[in-house]
């Protein structure tokens, strides 16, 4: 008989060992991601996960969707008010589950030690600000802190469109409405169309996934709203190119013009392991939409944005490599980490 494994016990253990993620696969022991590395925990390394451990998180409707071949995305909240983002799927005919452990509270920009320019971007009255990076790079944490910065400093109406809702905001100066795809509204595109009729000042989009979503986000920014959104891209240059490439060819020149007018900033980030093994630090690449940047985008010379970031430190700009080498010189990360995450290891080695 399979051992009884309570998913809540696993989640609490994952939080004790300061894991960011927990992976469950039927027939295999649980795997924890700690400081970016997958590890087994002694208490469970010989205990395979039974089917019912994963199914225990589902209601009847979700179980029906799973049996129909759908993957599931949702959030569960434990008694201690900690929230977890859950994704359940099948592999090799068996259930598997990825659990992202969310912070118990929304952190401020100051507590995350993020640069002041992020607070300035968050308080823009209109335009679009993008936070980008790979899965697990901390995009949601950064964006939630920016939304909280608005909440603490500006009397305005914020609408979030998320899949699923990860952090719950408590109203301070701002009125905040959070809409979850599948529960409150059927799609990102439908929610964005509706949002424009709901008197928002700020619209937070969980992810810009396709051309229609991008088009609606751009329209919202053009009509006097601040739009905050995420993209799964690496670097500011790739972010701008991804948005343009998502458009039909005949629309791309117009999109370059629109972006040059509304782009306030791109924050691209990744998490680097600290040399002392105590955790990870966010390395940021920051592009600010000043006149020079806007001219380069309008002229389709995005390949020159890197040099603009290198010379734009007074405006708060920085390239990823310059951020990484700064951490190395301060002794926060090792030489091998700096070389591993550099865009060009040879140039990084020369600088070091």
């Amino acid at each position: 008989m399979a051992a009884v494994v309570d998913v809540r016990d696993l989640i609490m253990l994952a939080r004790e060992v300061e894991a960011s993620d927990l992976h469950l696969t039927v027939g295999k022991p649980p795997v924890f991601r700690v400081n970016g590395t997958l590890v087994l925990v002694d208490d469970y390394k010989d205990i395979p996960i039974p089917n019912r451990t994963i199914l225990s998180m589902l209601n009847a409707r979700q179980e029906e969707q799973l049996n129909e071949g759908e993957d599931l995305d949702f959030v569960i909240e434990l008694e201690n008010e900690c929230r977890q983002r859950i994704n359940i799927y099948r592999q090799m005919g068996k259930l598997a589950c990825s659990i992202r452990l969310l912070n118990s509270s929304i952190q401020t920009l100051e507590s995350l030690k993020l640069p002041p320019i992020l607070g300035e971007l968050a308080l823009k009255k209109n335009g679009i600000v993008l936070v980008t990076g790979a899965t697990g790079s901390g995009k949601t944490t950064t964006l939630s802190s920016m939304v909280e910065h608005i909440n603490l400093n500006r009397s305005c109406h914020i609408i979030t469109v998320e899949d699923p809702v990860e952090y719950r905001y408590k109203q301070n100066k701002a009125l905040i409405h959070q809409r979850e795809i599948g529960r409150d509204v059927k799609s990102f595109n439908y929610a964005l169309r509706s949002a424009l009729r709901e008197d928002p000042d700020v619209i937070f989009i969980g992810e810009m996934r396709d051309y229609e979503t991008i088009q609606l986000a751009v329209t919202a920014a053009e009509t006097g709203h601040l739009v905050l959104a995420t993209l799964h891209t690496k670097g500011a240059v790739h972010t701008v190119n991804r948005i343009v490439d998502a458009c039909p060819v005949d629309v791309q020149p117009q999109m370059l013009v629109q972006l040059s007018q509304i782009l306030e900033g791109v924050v691209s980030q990744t998490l680097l392991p600290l040399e002392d093994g105590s955790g990870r630090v966010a390395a940021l690449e920051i592009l600010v939409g000043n006149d020079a940047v806007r001219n380069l985008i309008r002229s389709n010379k995005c390949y020159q944005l890197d040099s603009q970031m290198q010379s734009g430190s007074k405006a708060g700009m920085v390239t990823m490599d310059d951020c990484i080498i700064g951490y190395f010189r301060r002794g926060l990360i090792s030489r091998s980490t700096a070389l591993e995450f550099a865009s060009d290891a040879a140039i990084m080695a020369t600088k070091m």
Side-chain angles (χ1 to χ4, degrees):
M1 184 174 179
V4 175
V5 181
D6 190 305
V7 71
R8 285 169 172 77
D9 292 340
L10 287 170
I11 289 172
M12 296 308 295
L13 178 59
R15 289 190 175 277
E16 286 178 20
V17 301
E18 298 184 348
S20 61
D21 299 85
L22 168 62
H23 293 276
L24 307 178
T25 307
V26 170
K28 297 181 180 180
V31 178
F32 301 75
R33 187 179 291 277
V34 181
N35 293 334
T37 302
L38 296 177
V39 298
L40 295 173
V41 173
D42 288 343
D43 291 352
Y44 287 92
K45 66 180 181 180
D46 296 318
I47 300 178
I49 295 295
N51 219 46
R52 62 178 176 272
T53 296
I54 295 178
L55 292 177
S56 68
M57 292 182 281
L58 306 181
N59 58 35
R61 174 58 184 148
Q62 288 171 325
E63 193 165 340
E64 182 181 328
Q65 290 175 300
L66 189 64
N67 291 332
E68 290 172 354
E70 294 184 33
D71 292 346
L72 301 178
D73 278 301
F74 59 97
V75 168
I76 63 172
E77 184 173 314
L78 301 186
E79 294 77 9
N80 61 2
E81 297 188 354
C82 289
R83 290 166 66 80
Q84 287 71 218
R85 188 182 73 207
I86 313 294
N87 178 271
I88 297 179
Y89 55 100
R90 292 185 185 276
Q91 63 86 40
M92 299 299 290
K94 295 181 179 180
L95 289 180
C97 174
S98 176
I99 301 176
R100 169 63 51 82
L101 305 168
L102 304 175
N103 294 322
S104 56
S105 60
I106 300 171
Q107 295 177 269
T108 64
L109 293 171
E110 292 76 17
S111 67
L112 291 171
K113 299 180 180 178
L114 294 173
I117 186 63
L118 268 66
E120 296 175 25
L121 291 174
L123 294 179
K124 294 286 185 180
K125 293 297 188 293
N126 52 57
I128 190 165
V129 177
L130 302 171
V131 177
T132 76
T135 300
S137 61
K139 298 187 300 296
T140 302
T141 300
T142 296
L143 261 176
S144 66
S145 69
M146 293 176 74
V147 172
E148 183 65 5
H149 188 74
I150 299 170
N151 185 28
L152 295 173
N153 290 281
R154 183 182 172 195
S155 176
C156 63
H157 182 198
I158 302 172
I159 293 178
T160 77
V161 185
E162 303 169 74
D163 183 21
V165 168
E166 298 189 10
Y167 292 102
R168 289 179 178 171
Y169 300 92
K170 295 179 180 178
Q171 184 171 330
N172 196 294
K173 285 189 175 182
L175 171 65
I176 304 178
H177 289 128
Q178 294 182 256
R179 309 193 73 193
E180 182 169 292
I181 303 300
R183 184 182 67 176
D184 303 313
V185 64
K186 63 184 181 180
S187 69
F188 277 102
N189 297 337
Y190 189 90
L192 285 172
R193 288 194 189 91
S194 296
L196 295 176
R197 298 189 292 270
E198 292 157 3
D199 188 34
D201 298 291
V202 179
I203 302 173
F204 166 38
I205 306 170
E207 185 182 346
M208 296 205 304
R209 297 179 174 176
D210 52 37
Y211 168 61
E212 188 173 2
T213 306
I214 291 170
Q215 188 180 43
L216 289 167
V218 168
T219 298
E222 287 180 322
T223 51
H225 307 88
L226 176 66
V227 176
L228 305 175
T230 69
L231 274 173
H232 290 289
T233 51
K234 180 182 177 182
V237 177
H238 290 157
T239 298
V240 175
N241 289 336
R242 172 71 66 84
I243 291 174
V244 174
D245 290 345
C247 303
V249 175
D250 60 326
V251 177
Q252 290 179 2
Q254 177 61 27
M255 178 56 71
L256 285 167
V257 174
Q258 289 175 295
L259 273 181
S260 71
Q261 295 169 342
I262 63 170
L263 186 66
E264 292 294 343
V266 179
V267 179
S268 183
Q269 70 178 64
T270 189
L271 296 176
L272 310 182
L274 292 168
E275 186 168 26
D276 62 9
S278 63
R280 292 186 290 176
V281 63
L284 304 180
E285 177 167 281
I286 302 173
L287 175 72
V288 177
N290 61 17
D291 289 342
V293 167
R294 297 182 192 283
N295 286 333
L296 290 176
I297 294 174
R298 186 183 301 111
S299 305
N300 196 17
K301 296 179 180 177
C302 295
Y303 58 88
Q304 294 182 17
L305 290 175
D306 274 334
S307 61
Q308 189 60 44
M309 283 186 285
Q310 290 170 3
S311 62
S313 58
K314 288 184 179 179
M317 290 191 264
V318 64
T319 65
M320 182 63 73
D321 280 3
D322 285 343
C323 181
I324 290 173
I325 200 167
Y327 286 155
F328 168 72
R329 287 171 177 162
R330 288 160 56 190
L332 294 176
I333 63 173
S334 67
R335 178 184 177 87
S336 60
T337 296
L339 292 173
E340 178 185 350
F341 286 89
S343 59
D344 189 314
I347 293 177
M348 178 64 75
T350 302
K351 289 181 177 180
M352 289 193 293

